[in-house]
């Protein structure tokens, strides 16, 4: 459309109607035949507004206008036309001031962020995705000179320079983190461009593939994540001895569950969401169908309310819903946990496996603390749950299991 406008290219009514459906209200028809499209003036409503000027007792004329706060103000002139002209210009200045306040990068990001929050409320994306976006913005964008820059004055070079400086200040980054950083500037500006089109304002479009390739060619984005050392046989033996010696008697069920997850390899949120309905002892299968997640409660403007919400829902990805074969060791431990829960009157089909008679605000967080405390009391290094997951994958690979099967587990 901009090329049609700038070059005064004539197009048919049918072609124009097709374009008009895409950009409703952004362009107007000048003639019905051999249509020429031109941008609608953003001041059109101001200039077409009917105005009158009142003559004052001192002989001057005054005409009203609305200021940036929505209040009625007045402009004065020696003639009626002069007063009206000043009022029109004042409203144009107000419109420009509002427009300028809408387009620093942090304001564009905020509007896009609120849109993403709405998507989370509608179930399109996870609430945890919104929290991740906010964390990435606060770490790399917040309070930078770039965040204050008017996006309408930006060029590809402006964006490339900023992104390059971010990556270089970190001495490189992983591809996963680079994707998170790049998503914020790209999606914020695309959203701002869409809004500008709807508001009949001009906006620069960026060549995002060019920007991405340029940054990737000049920065180290292939930084490898710090490699974790797999859990050793000696460390596993120490953990088993600690449980046999019952070093944490009040947390016996949790301790046993940690050992079971050595051979299940579930994520922490997935494991604490397991109920007895997910365990099939006859077929020796464990069904991973849900996970505990957490996110911040937010108001309609995307601001945190200060409350963390914990809930059981779908696991991390669609592929995360899976069936895990049950080893004899896992079966033995789960049956022992079941006996302990029956003895204490806690057992039922809907009961969580990792349940010791206490309702915790976050089961996942409590499970993580239990694992930390167990390692501490056993005089071992800290062994996060994800390390159990990676260690199991290493053992399966060493045993000759195909990579695609390990991936599915």
């Amino acid at each position: 459309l901009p090329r049609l406008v700038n070059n005064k290219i004539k197009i048919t009514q049918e072609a124009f109607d097709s374009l008009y459906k895409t950009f409703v209200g952004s362009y107007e028809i000048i003639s019905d035949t051999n249509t020429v499209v031109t941008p609608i003036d953003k001041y059109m409503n101001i200039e077409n507004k009917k105005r009158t000027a009142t003559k004052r007792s001192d002989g001057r004329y005054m005409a009203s206008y609305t200021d940036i706060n929505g209040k009625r103000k007045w402009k004065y002139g020696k003639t009626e036309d002069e007063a009206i002209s000043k009022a029109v210009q004042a409203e144009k200045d107000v419109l420009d001031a509002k427009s300028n306040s809408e387009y620093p990068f942090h304001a564009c990001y905020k509007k896009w962020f609120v849109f993403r929050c709405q998507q989370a409320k509608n179930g399109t994306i996870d609430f945890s995705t919104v929290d991740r976006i906010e964390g990435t913005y606060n770490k790399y964008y917040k309070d930078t000179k770039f965040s204050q820059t008017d996006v309408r004055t930006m060029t590809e070079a402006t964006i490339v320079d900023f992104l390059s400086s971010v990556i270089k200040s970190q001495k490189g980054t992983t591809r996963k983190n680079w994707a998170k950083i790049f998503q914020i500037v790209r999606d914020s500006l695309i959203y701002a461009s869409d809004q500008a089109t709807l508001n009949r304002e001009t906006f620069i479009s960026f060549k995002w593939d060019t920007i991405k390739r340029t940054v990737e060619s000049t920065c180290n984005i292939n930084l490898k994540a710090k490699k974790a050392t797999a859990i050793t046989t000696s460390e596993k033996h120490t953990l088993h001895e600690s449980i046999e010696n019952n070093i944490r008697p009040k947390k016996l069920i949790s301790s046993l569950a940690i050992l079971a997850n050595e051979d299940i390899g579930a994520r922490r949120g997935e494991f604490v969401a397991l109920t007895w309905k997910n365990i099939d002892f006859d077929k020796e299968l464990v069904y991973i169908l849900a996970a505990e997640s957490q996110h911040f409660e937010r108001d309609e403007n995307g601001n945190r309310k200060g409350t963390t919400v914990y809930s059981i829902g779908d696991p991390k990805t669609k592929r995360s819903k899976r069936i895990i074969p049950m080893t004899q060791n896992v079966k033995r431990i789960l049956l022992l946990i079941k006996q302990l829960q029956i003895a204490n009157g806690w057992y039922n089909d809907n009961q969580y496996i990792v349940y010791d008679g206490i309702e915790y605000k976050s089961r996942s967080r409590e499970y993580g603390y239990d694992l930390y405390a167990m390692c501490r009391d056993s005089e071992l290094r800290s062994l996060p749950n994800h390390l159990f997951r990676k260690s199991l994958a290493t053992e399966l690979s060493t045993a000759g299991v195909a990579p695609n099967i390990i991936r599915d587990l």
Side-chain angles (χ1 to χ4, degrees):
L1 281 174
R3 280 197 288 272
L4 294 175
V5 172
N6 295 334
N7 298 313
K8 302 294 182 183
I9 296 174
K10 295 182 179 182
I11 61 175
T12 65
Q13 182 69 45
E14 183 180 357
F16 176 78
D17 289 342
S18 177
L19 291 170
Y20 188 79
K21 287 178 182 178
T22 306
F23 299 97
V24 177
S26 297
Y27 295 82
E28 63 180 345
I29 300 176
I30 303 305
S31 62
D32 290 333
T33 59
N34 296 325
T35 303
V36 177
V37 292
T38 59
I40 293 177
D41 189 346
K42 69 175 181 177
Y43 301 127
M44 183 177 64
N45 292 335
I46 294 175
E47 292 173 344
N48 292 342
K49 183 178 179 181
K50 291 183 179 180
R51 300 176 188 271
T52 58
T54 304
K55 190 172 183 179
R56 292 161 45 93
S57 58
D58 59 4
R60 293 188 301 164
Y61 288 85
M62 64 180 189
S64 66
Y65 73 98
T66 305
D67 71 4
I68 198 167
N69 296 315
K71 295 182 179 180
R72 194 180 188 189
K73 295 290 182 69
W74 304 88
K75 285 293 182 181
Y76 305 92
K78 293 180 181 180
T79 65
E80 184 176 2
D81 288 342
E82 182 182 358
I84 291 175
S85 177
K86 287 183 177 180
V88 168
Q89 186 58 48
E91 287 202 354
K92 287 181 179 180
D93 293 341
V94 168
L95 181 61
D96 288 339
K98 286 182 177 180
S99 180
N100 290 336
S101 67
E102 290 178 356
Y103 289 113
F105 178 76
H106 67 83
C108 293
Y109 158 76
K110 183 65 175 180
K111 290 179 180 179
W112 170 68
F113 182 74
V114 171
F115 168 69
R116 296 293 273 175
C117 289
Q118 189 60 49
Q119 284 186 310
K121 290 179 181 178
N122 294 337
T124 308
I125 61 174
D126 292 334
F127 281 101
S128 57
T129 300
V130 173
D131 293 343
R132 188 264 301 164
I133 289 171
E134 183 183 56
T136 302
Y137 176 83
N138 289 343
K139 183 175 181 179
Y140 299 108
Y141 289 86
K142 189 177 180 182
D143 298 330
T144 62
K145 184 178 178 181
F146 183 84
S147 70
Q148 305 298 324
T149 304
D150 188 326
V151 298
R152 294 167 299 178
T153 66
M154 286 183 181
T155 63
E156 277 91 354
T158 307
I159 300 171
V160 167
D161 289 344
F162 170 73
L163 292 174
S164 298
S165 66
V166 168
I167 303 302
K168 290 176 180 177
S169 67
Q170 302 293 313
K171 296 182 180 179
T173 188
T174 62
R175 282 202 166 269
K176 184 176 180 180
N177 195 48
W178 158 239
K180 295 176 182 178
I181 297 170
F182 183 67
Q183 179 199 20
I184 288 178
V185 64
R186 180 194 61 201
D187 289 6
S188 295
L189 293 184
I190 289 175
Y191 185 78
S193 177
D194 292 344
Q195 296 306 303
T197 300
L198 295 174
N199 294 334
R200 303 174 180 179
E201 298 178 4
T202 57
F203 200 91
I204 299 172
S205 59
F206 300 100
K207 298 177 181 177
W208 293 108
D209 287 343
T210 301
I211 292 171
K212 187 177 181 182
R213 283 196 304 270
T214 304
V215 175
E216 290 178 354
S217 66
T218 57
C219 298
N220 178 18
I221 59 160
N222 292 309
L223 197 66
K224 301 296 182 183
K226 186 178 179 181
K227 287 188 176 181
T229 305
I231 301 172
T232 65
T233 304
S234 175
E235 287 172 329
K236 283 189 176 183
H237 181 69
T238 302
L239 285 176
H240 288 219
E241 276 192 342
S242 297
I243 293 173
E244 287 174 7
N245 295 329
N246 203 14
I247 61 172
R248 304 190 74 233
K250 293 183 179 180
K251 291 287 188 176
L252 179 57
I253 288 179
S254 182
S255 300
L256 289 169
I258 289 169
L259 291 189
N261 202 28
E262 278 185 8
D263 292 340
I264 294 175
R267 296 180 180 90
R268 191 170 70 182
E270 295 171 346
F271 191 69
V272 298
L274 284 175
T275 65
W276 292 108
K277 286 195 301 185
N278 302 128
I279 307 300
D280 188 333
F281 286 110
D282 294 332
K283 295 182 180 179
E284 298 184 341
L285 297 173
V286 177
Y287 294 84
I288 307 292
L289 303 175
E292 183 187 83
S293 62
Q294 66 179 68
H295 65 272
F296 292 104
E297 191 175 4
R298 298 179 183 274
D299 60 21
E300 63 277 6
N301 296 316
N303 300 315
R304 294 184 187 180
K305 288 185 177 180
T307 305
T308 303
V309 179
Y310 300 93
S311 60
I312 302 292
D314 289 334
K316 188 175 181 180
T317 64
K318 290 182 180 179
R319 193 185 289 273
S320 295
K321 288 187 176 182
R322 58 200 189 279
I323 302 173
I324 308 293
M326 187 188 302
T327 66
Q328 292 305 306
N329 183 52
V330 169
K331 186 175 183 179
R332 178 180 61 82
I333 294 173
L334 292 180
L335 285 172
L336 180 56
I337 293 174
K338 182 177 179 179
Q339 290 172 7
L340 289 170
Q341 288 193 356
I342 291 173
N344 286 280
W346 302 329
Y347 176 82
N348 64 70
D349 286 344
N350 295 315
Q351 185 60 269
Y352 294 109
I353 292 171
V354 189
Y355 181 75
D356 56 6
I358 301 175
E359 292 292 343
Y360 299 102
K361 189 175 182 180
S362 169
R363 308 179 61 78
S364 178
R365 186 172 60 184
E366 185 65 22
Y367 177 83
Y369 175 74
D370 288 342
L371 178 55
Y372 164 78
M374 191 167 148
C375 293
R376 179 198 61 201
D377 295 346
S378 303
E379 298 182 352
L380 292 172
R381 64 183 170 119
S382 179
L383 302 173
N385 182 76
H386 203 64
L387 192 56
F388 284 85
R389 209 169 135 73
K390 289 185 174 182
S391 298
L392 178 60
T394 301
E395 290 175 8
L396 293 174
S397 178
T398 303
V401 178
N404 62 318
I405 295 177
I406 297 174
R407 178 201 64 195
D408 292 340
L409 294 176

